[in-house]
Amino acid sequence: MVEVLVEATTRVLLKDGYEACTTNRVAEVAGVSIGSVYQYFPDKESLVLAVMERHQEQLQAAMVVRLSELANADLATAVHEMLGAMLEAQRLQPRLHRVLLEQVPRIGALRRLHELNGQYAPLVEAWLETHRDQLGITNPSVAAWVLIGAVEGVLARVLMEKPGWLELGLLQEHLTRLVLSYLQPNVRRSKR
Amino acid sequence: MVEVLVEATTRVLLKDGYEACTTNRVAEVAGVSIGSVYQYFPDKESLVLAVMERHQEQLQAAMVVRLSELANADLATAVHEMLGAMLEAQRLQPRLHRVLLEQVPRIGALRRLHELNGQYAPLVEAWLETHRDQLGITNPSVAAWVLIGAVEGVLARVLMEKPGWLELGLLQEHLTRLVLSYLQPNVRRSKR
Amino acid sequence: MVEVLVEATTRVLLKDGYEACTTNRVAEVAGVSIGSVYQYFPDKESLVLAVMERHQEQLQAAMVVRLSELANADLATAVHEMLGAMLEAQRLQPRLHRVLLEQVPRIGALRRLHELNGQYAPLVEAWLETHRDQLGITNPSVAAWVLIGAVEGVLARVLMEKPGWLELGLLQEHLTRLVLSYLQPNVRRSKR
Amino acid sequence: MVEVLVEATTRVLLKDGYEACTTNRVAEVAGVSIGSVYQYFPDKESLVLAVMERHQEQLQAAMVVRLSELANADLATAVHEMLGAMLEAQRLQPRLHRVLLEQVPRIGALRRLHELNGQYAPLVEAWLETHRDQLGITNPSVAAWVLIGAVEGVLARVLMEKPGWLELGLLQEHLTRLVLSYLQPNVRRSKR
DNA sequence: CATGAATGAGACTTCATTCAT
DNA sequence: TATGAATGAAGTCTCATTCAT
């Protein structure tokens, strides 16, 4: 039932946008009574939150698969592949991602979205720590934080303004360069 | 009157957030009749839009002052100062900026906010074009686009998660590094 | 509930007129929440429309009873009785009928009222067709149309200006004469 | 000024209908300040009333011209011409007439419209009185009243449902027959 | 007289939520 | 547990009218 409701909410969000995503509409699309919605979700916001979380889980799952192979790739390859994985993940449900990003009122909900993105921070930080010797950074914690913000910012822009670019390799190159040269500013690198 | 209304909207936005920012409340805080609100603004959204635009103008004005002195600074200094100006601009009304970023329903309004930020694109692009010989970039247009996204992303994160960092020099260093090394990946740079 | 709402609307219409017939007032008089009004009627107009339709049904039902006995009366009697039935029907709720006629904004609603009256046209036409041999008319379709207009016009005038006359036989005689002599202009008739 | 305002109201009524006929819109179309409207008319209703009255005057004026020649025509001709004059009068501003009839809320305003039509009553009555010897009627007062109602009813129907018929002679024949045979039920008449 | 900015009561309508069945 | 009719607070917006200039 929870699944049915989250599914229905996603569908409504996609088809009609956040404004038109009323609890009654969700119940209708789910083929369930409105009462049942409140049996499983305390309020409207939690419905949307659940959609976000499920979406985020899917993104992560998609990335994990892609990244598991990178165990001992070199730095440049690792970054390149990781960003590729992120871009690919965006392609899973770009329209949903965009609606979530654009239309959902942030208080509460978007906050949560950022928290979800924040989950990456420790992972990235740990990774930076591990490769510290190859990197020109002094504060892995801040570096991770800055990188996540920067990549998130570019991804958000793509989604909102140039969704078509998700299909191109273009962005992956640029992001790789952004990240790599930030991490190794003094290193002369061969062009990828 | 327009001024009074925009002012009142800003105040309500700051004090009560977007959800509680109703037209009646704005009128009340402005000390005018609700009718007067609709004499000058066609609907609620346009009120918030006006706040955004005024805010953006203030940001830009603040930056222009700060940047006018950079006419013939060297590349590294120019980037450093430009980012310093942006960070300082954020300090003007960080809470307003945050509310705008976090709570305003995006379709329509946030779209406009991005458009406003998009104004920078041609400027940045032109600047990159001008300094092309010193830069290791091949496509100034995409580079400008990526940089704006990245910086925007980091700034948004600061505002939402670490507003205190706006006061520190920390961020400026990191952003400078992010931008500079992206622009000149192969150049050995002295530590700033 | 639908019944309760139509009933309440009728009451408000009668007591306060169309202008004062607001959805909130109807809900209040019906003793229900305003939300319930919109659960069953899409908007204000449809409420009034429902009143009209119910009223019209009542008129027709009243007439049907009265007319069922006329199956094989002679022409003059048939016309006389039919008009009597119409006049009597008006007496059912003359004040409601008047409010509907006088105050309801016509576009949409009054249009519908005329449509409802237009239902008579085919019946009258068929009847004229049936008795064609006794009548001096060449175009039953136009004749029906003219007669309905004429009778409607007189009835409207009675309602608005001389509601008292509904109680007298006076009008029935005059209308009968109007209709009969129109249908049989060349026939010498004994005074009814 | 009064003239300008009545003119503007007429224009708005025709172009946008009664609902959209707001006082501010009238002022705008008249090229005058809203304040000036209230200098000459106490409220919105009186504006519409003035339009009605001017329209009615025009109808009457048109009819007077047409009827002045009938001084000593025979009965049948007189009726025929009079109805022709009425039909022709409707052609003056059929759309305005229709808006007035259909859309204007009657309380107050439509009442007045009927009063204006009621002006005919004494005239018709007097005329019936004059020709009493040729007519088979006993109560000229009621007869006049009924005839006006009947003709009004047919005219209203034409306007609303078959405005095209105003151009045909068809209606004039039928109305003439309606009126004449009502007035002279026992008289064998040659077909007009 | 003319102006038109300002007024504000109040209309219609939505939608998250409850609760008796 | 599921239902869904009922709720009603609250929101946006309109427009006839006023009154100081």
Side-chain angles (χ1 to χ4, degrees):
Chain A
M1 171 70 70
V2 166
E3 185 53 27
V4 168
L5 289 170
V6 173
E7 185 56 39
T9 308
T10 304
R11 206 147 52 224
V12 174
L13 241 23
L14 278 172
K15 194 168 183 330
D16 308 307
Y18 180 80
E19 287 285 90
C21 180
T22 67
T23 50
N24 283 292
R25 180 113 182 73
V26 167
E28 183 195 356
V29 166
V32 175
S33 148
I34 176 65
S36 298
V37 174
Y38 282 87
Q39 203 98 49
Y40 295 95
F41 293 89
D43 54 25
K44 183 188 168 175
E45 196 173 312
S46 63
L47 260 180
V48 176
L49 233 56
V51 171
M52 281 180 167
E53 281 175 15
R54 204 183 60 155
H55 176 58
Q56 193 69 12
E57 278 162 22
Q58 287 177 355
L59 291 194
Q60 297 210 16
M63 285 183 56
V64 163
V65 170
R66 197 77 175 325
L67 293 178
S68 56
E69 312 143 11
L70 291 181
N72 40 15
D74 70 52
L75 191 70
T77 308
V79 168
H80 189 255
E81 288 306 303
M82 207 180 313
L83 288 165
M86 291 182 80
L87 284 164
E88 189 170 309
Q90 306 288 347
R91 284 206 291 271
L92 273 182
Q93 295 221 55
R95 286 188 37 241
L96 177 60
H97 202 112
R98 182 174 174 172
V99 168
L100 258 22
L101 224 45
E102 269 192 11
Q103 295 178 30
V104 173
R106 320 306 232 294
I107 186 82
L110 194 74
R111 179 116 350 150
R112 181 79 184 115
L113 191 59
H114 275 281
E115 274 171 45
L116 293 171
N117 275 335
Q119 295 173 341
Y120 295 135
L123 302 175
V124 174
E125 197 177 330
W127 189 86
L128 293 181
E129 204 76 66
T130 310
H131 298 75
R132 200 163 194 170
D133 53 339
Q134 304 171 52
L135 305 175
I137 57 170
T138 51
N139 189 335
S141 168
V142 173
W145 196 90
V146 166
L147 281 179
I148 289 173
V151 172
E152 228 183 80
V154 176
L155 289 182
R157 267 202 121 189
V158 187
L159 233 22
M160 299 213 224
E161 295 175 31
K162 314 271 186 189
W165 287 10
L166 282 176
E167 313 300 330
L168 280 45
L170 182 69
L171 227 50
Q172 191 177 359
E173 300 314 317
H174 279 268
L175 282 171
T176 303
R177 173 170 168 172
L178 184 71
V179 171
L180 268 188
S181 56
Y182 172 74
L183 292 173
Q184 304 179 302
N186 309 343
V187 174
R188 177 164 295 265
R189 234 171 299 100
S190 59
K191 186 169 176 295
R192 284 202 57 93
Chain B
M1 171 69 64
V2 166
E3 186 54 26
V4 168
L5 288 170
V6 173
E7 187 54 41
T9 307
T10 304
R11 207 146 52 222
V12 175
L13 241 23
L14 280 172
K15 192 166 181 337
D16 308 307
Y18 180 80
E19 287 286 90
C21 181
T22 70
T23 50
N24 282 304
R25 180 113 183 75
V26 167
E28 184 193 354
V29 166
V32 267
S33 148
I34 176 67
S36 296
V37 174
Y38 284 89
Q39 190 119 47
Y40 296 95
F41 294 90
D43 53 25
K44 183 190 166 172
E45 193 173 314
S46 65
L47 261 181
V48 177
L49 233 55
V51 171
M52 281 180 168
E53 265 159 41
R54 206 183 59 156
H55 176 58
Q56 192 71 10
E57 276 163 23
Q58 288 176 355
L59 292 193
Q60 297 211 16
M63 286 182 56
V64 163
V65 170
R66 195 73 182 308
L67 294 177
S68 56
E69 311 143 9
L70 292 181
N72 39 17
D74 69 56
L75 191 71
T77 308
V79 167
H80 188 255
E81 288 306 304
M82 210 180 308
L83 288 165
M86 290 183 80
L87 284 163
E88 188 170 311
Q90 305 288 346
R91 283 206 291 271
L92 274 181
Q93 297 218 52
R95 288 189 35 241
L96 176 59
H97 201 113
R98 180 174 173 173
V99 169
L100 258 23
L101 224 45
E102 270 191 7
Q103 296 180 30
V104 173
R106 329 301 235 291
I107 187 85
L110 195 72
R111 181 124 340 162
R112 180 77 185 118
L113 192 59
H114 275 281
E115 271 172 47
L116 292 171
N117 277 335
Q119 295 174 343
Y120 295 134
L123 302 175
V124 174
E125 195 177 332
W127 188 85
L128 294 181
E129 202 79 65
T130 309
H131 299 76
R132 198 164 198 171
D133 52 339
Q134 305 172 52
L135 304 175
I137 57 171
T138 51
N139 189 336
S141 169
V142 174
W145 196 91
V146 166
L147 280 178
I148 289 173
V151 172
E152 233 182 77
V154 176
L155 289 182
R157 266 203 122 190
V158 187
L159 234 20
M160 298 212 228
E161 294 175 31
K162 314 271 186 187
W165 288 10
L166 282 176
E167 311 301 330
L168 281 44
L170 183 69
L171 227 50
Q172 189 176 0
E173 299 315 317
H174 280 268
L175 282 171
T176 303
R177 173 170 167 174
L178 184 71
V179 171
L180 268 188
S181 56
Y182 172 74
L183 292 173
Q184 305 180 302
N186 310 344
V187 175
R188 175 164 293 268
R189 236 171 297 98
S190 61
K191 186 166 177 300
R192 283 204 56 94
Chain C
M1 172 67 67
V2 166
E3 187 54 26
V4 168
L5 288 170
V6 173
E7 186 55 40
T9 308
T10 305
R11 206 146 55 224
V12 174
L13 241 22
L14 280 172
K15 192 163 182 338
D16 308 307
Y18 180 80
E19 289 285 271
C21 181
T22 69
T23 50
N24 283 301
R25 181 114 181 74
V26 167
E28 183 194 354
V29 167
V32 266
S33 148
I34 177 66
S36 297
V37 174
Y38 283 89
Q39 190 119 46
Y40 296 96
F41 294 90
D43 54 25
K44 184 190 166 174
E45 194 174 312
S46 65
L47 261 180
V48 177
L49 233 56
V51 171
M52 281 181 168
E53 264 159 42
R54 205 182 60 154
H55 176 58
Q56 192 70 10
E57 276 163 23
Q58 287 176 355
L59 291 194
Q60 296 209 18
M63 286 182 56
V64 164
V65 170
R66 196 70 183 309
L67 293 178
S68 56
E69 311 143 9
L70 291 182
N72 38 16
D74 70 51
L75 192 70
T77 308
V79 168
H80 189 254
E81 288 306 303
M82 209 180 309
L83 290 165
M86 291 182 80
L87 285 163
E88 188 170 308
Q90 306 288 346
R91 283 206 291 273
L92 274 181
Q93 296 219 53
R95 287 185 39 238
L96 176 59
H97 201 115
R98 181 174 171 171
V99 169
L100 258 22
L101 225 45
E102 272 191 7
Q103 295 180 30
V104 173
R106 326 303 235 291
I107 190 84
L110 194 73
R111 182 126 335 164
R112 180 78 184 114
L113 193 59
H114 274 280
E115 271 172 46
L116 292 171
N117 276 336
Q119 295 174 340
Y120 294 134
L123 301 175
V124 175
E125 196 177 330
W127 188 86
L128 294 181
E129 204 78 67
T130 309
H131 298 76
R132 199 165 197 171
D133 53 339
Q134 306 171 52
L135 304 175
I137 57 169
T138 51
N139 189 336
S141 169
V142 174
W145 196 90
V146 167
L147 280 178
I148 287 173
V151 171
E152 230 182 78
V154 176
L155 289 181
R157 266 203 121 189
V158 187
L159 234 21
M160 298 213 225
E161 295 175 30
K162 315 272 187 184
W165 287 11
L166 282 176
E167 313 299 330
L168 281 43
L170 182 69
L171 227 50
Q172 190 177 0
E173 300 314 318
H174 279 269
L175 281 171
T176 303
R177 174 169 165 172
L178 184 71
V179 172
L180 268 188
S181 56
Y182 172 74
L183 291 174
Q184 305 179 301
N186 310 343
V187 174
R188 175 163 297 264
R189 235 173 299 97
S190 60
K191 186 170 176 299
R192 286 200 55 95
Chain D
M1 171 71 69
V2 166
E3 185 55 25
V4 167
L5 289 170
V6 174
E7 185 56 38
T9 308
T10 304
R11 207 147 51 223
V12 174
L13 241 23
L14 280 172
K15 194 164 182 338
D16 308 308
Y18 180 79
E19 288 285 90
C21 182
T22 67
T23 50
N24 283 293
R25 179 113 181 74
V26 166
E28 183 195 354
V29 167
V32 176
S33 148
I34 177 65
S36 298
V37 174
Y38 283 87
Q39 203 98 50
Y40 295 95
F41 293 89
D43 54 25
K44 183 189 170 177
E45 195 173 312
S46 63
L47 259 181
V48 176
L49 233 56
V51 171
M52 282 180 166
E53 282 177 14
R54 205 183 60 155
H55 175 58
Q56 193 68 12
E57 277 163 23
Q58 288 176 353
L59 292 193
Q60 297 210 15
M63 286 182 55
V64 164
V65 170
R66 196 76 174 327
L67 293 178
S68 57
E69 311 144 10
L70 292 181
N72 39 17
D74 69 55
L75 192 70
T77 308
V79 168
H80 188 254
E81 289 305 305
M82 208 180 311
L83 289 165
M86 291 183 80
L87 283 163
E88 189 170 308
Q90 306 288 348
R91 284 206 292 271
L92 274 182
Q93 297 220 53
R95 287 188 36 240
L96 177 59
H97 202 113
R98 181 173 173 173
V99 169
L100 258 22
L101 225 45
E102 269 192 11
Q103 296 179 29
V104 174
R106 323 304 234 292
I107 187 81
L110 195 74
R111 179 115 351 149
R112 182 78 184 117
L113 191 58
H114 275 281
E115 272 171 46
L116 292 171
N117 276 337
Q119 294 172 342
Y120 294 135
L123 302 175
V124 174
E125 194 177 332
W127 187 86
L128 293 182
E129 202 76 68
T130 310
H131 298 75
R132 198 163 197 171
D133 53 338
Q134 304 172 53
L135 305 174
I137 58 170
T138 51
N139 188 336
S141 168
V142 174
W145 196 91
V146 166
L147 281 179
I148 288 172
V151 172
E152 231 182 79
V154 176
L155 290 182
R157 267 203 121 190
V158 187
L159 233 22
M160 297 213 225
E161 294 175 29
K162 314 272 187 186
W165 287 11
L166 281 177
E167 313 299 330
L168 281 44
L170 182 70
L171 226 51
Q172 190 177 0
E173 299 314 318
H174 279 269
L175 282 171
T176 303
R177 174 171 165 171
L178 183 71
V179 171
L180 267 189
S181 57
Y182 172 74
L183 291 174
Q184 305 180 301
N186 310 343
V187 175
R188 175 164 295 265
R189 236 170 299 97
S190 59
K191 184 167 178 297
R192 284 204 54 96

